[in-house]
Amino acid sequence: FSTMLDIPPMPEKEIVQALQFKARQYIPLPISSVSLDFVRIGEQKVLLLAIPNDIIAKYKAIFKGAGFDLVALETEGVSLARALTLGDEEGAGPALVIDIGARSTGVSVAERGLLFLAGQTDFAGASLTHGVASSLGIAVRRAEDLKRERGLVSVGFGVDQELSTLLFPLADVILDEAKRLRERYSAAYGTDAKRIILTGGGANLPGLQDYVRKKFGLPVSKAVPYAGVAYPPSSESVLVPLGPMLAVAVGAAERGLEDR
């Protein structure tokens, strides 16, 4: 869970106490059942983050069983902000990040490596696949293959045309959530997102980049999270297409290295 809060100027240690009190108004779970953290954004704004303790316990058990030392946990939006916007050029402006996974889609606004606002919907890549399978009366595996091969490219006749017609309204469910978060950000900060970054496996859906550009009227790009990573030029042809799927992992790995 995440929400942006206004706070009066106060020392860091007092913010923690204030958020413990304020969180009860925004987190739909008992405060004792979640772990709280925050990202300070300016003097009088913080992004409050809450993760259920049972989820943290599961991750701890996974890492312990794998023989790893778990150093930190953070939400995907924080990792994506670091990976995709930390190396922004001057004047690039806030980015609306749409992270389309298989089971959920995360939407956030980030700039200069900081997460400013985040939201989520359970409508994602698998929702598109099941919608196609149900409408065309085909197996889910076949629907997934068709989605990956043809996506939102509205060309041809027959199945090609029918597939794109089916996918447009399904994709709109995800994009409507992105529009709502963009509006929340604009109302809270008095400015607007200047560009869109598509990430997650769903970012590779054929035709999605052009479709999003038409819907929002903003520059749209797919995630390339390697601004702070050195790699052999010969690896570029492999790494760039994998960028949307590796963005969270790259951002998490860069935690603590921002100022080095």
Side-chain angles (χ1 to χ4, degrees):
F1 305 99
S2 65
T3 187
M4 191 273 298
L5 298 175
D6 292 308
I7 58 169
M10 63 176 70
E12 205 85 356
K13 62 181 181 181
E14 293 182 15
I15 292 179
V16 176
Q17 297 173 346
L19 291 182
Q20 286 283 346
F21 175 76
K22 278 181 168 286
R24 290 177 168 83
Q25 305 172 45
Y26 300 96
I27 308 301
L29 291 173
I31 295 302
S32 60
S33 70
V34 300
S35 293
L36 299 177
D37 201 356
F38 69 92
V39 179
R40 189 159 190 166
I41 304 167
E43 285 297 313
Q44 294 183 260
K45 289 186 185 294
V46 298
L47 182 68
L48 175 67
L49 303 166
I51 302 177
N53 291 330
D54 59 344
I55 293 178
I56 292 176
K58 289 178 182 177
Y59 275 103
K60 285 182 175 179
I62 290 169
F63 278 85
K64 183 178 180 180
F68 289 107
D69 293 326
L70 182 60
V71 177
L73 287 169
E74 64 184 16
T75 64
E76 292 180 351
V78 173
S79 296
L80 288 172
R82 185 183 301 116
L84 302 179
T85 68
L86 185 60
D88 281 350
E89 295 181 2
E90 187 70 28
L96 179 64
V97 181
I98 305 176
D99 178 21
I100 307 174
R103 295 190 298 174
S104 65
T105 296
V107 186
S108 58
V109 178
E111 184 180 12
R112 302 183 308 278
L114 291 176
L115 176 65
F116 283 77
L117 199 61
Q120 184 172 315
T121 174
D122 291 334
F123 207 91
S127 308
L128 273 65
T129 301
H130 285 284
V132 171
S134 176
S135 297
L136 296 182
I138 58 178
V140 172
R141 185 64 175 269
R142 175 59 178 153
E144 178 69 17
D145 289 342
L146 281 173
K147 183 187 76 173
R148 292 188 181 194
E149 291 169 8
R150 302 171 188 178
L152 296 170
V153 181
S154 182
V155 297
F157 302 94
V159 174
D160 282 1
Q161 184 66 43
E162 189 173 0
L163 181 67
S164 60
T165 302
L166 289 171
L167 283 174
F168 286 137
L170 297 174
D172 284 344
V173 177
I174 294 173
L175 299 184
D176 286 345
E177 184 63 30
K179 286 180 179 178
R180 283 190 287 270
L181 189 97
R182 179 189 178 189
E183 290 167 359
R184 283 176 53 203
Y185 172 79
S186 180
Y189 291 93
T191 186
D192 197 6
K194 306 299 183 185
R195 56 206 167 107
I196 295 174
I197 302 175
L198 300 176
T199 188
N204 290 321
L205 184 70
L208 179 62
Q209 196 169 334
D210 287 339
Y211 187 64
V212 174
R213 186 180 296 113
K214 292 175 183 176
K215 294 287 284 189
F216 284 85
L218 295 173
V220 180
S221 62
K222 287 201 287 189
V224 182
Y226 312 119
V229 180
Y231 57 88
S234 58
S235 301
E236 188 167 359
S237 61
V238 175
L239 287 176
V240 170
L242 289 175
M245 291 175 281
L246 295 179
V248 172
V250 171
E254 291 177 329
R255 178 187 172 95
L257 302 178
E258 294 94 330
D259 298 324
R260 297 187 186 183

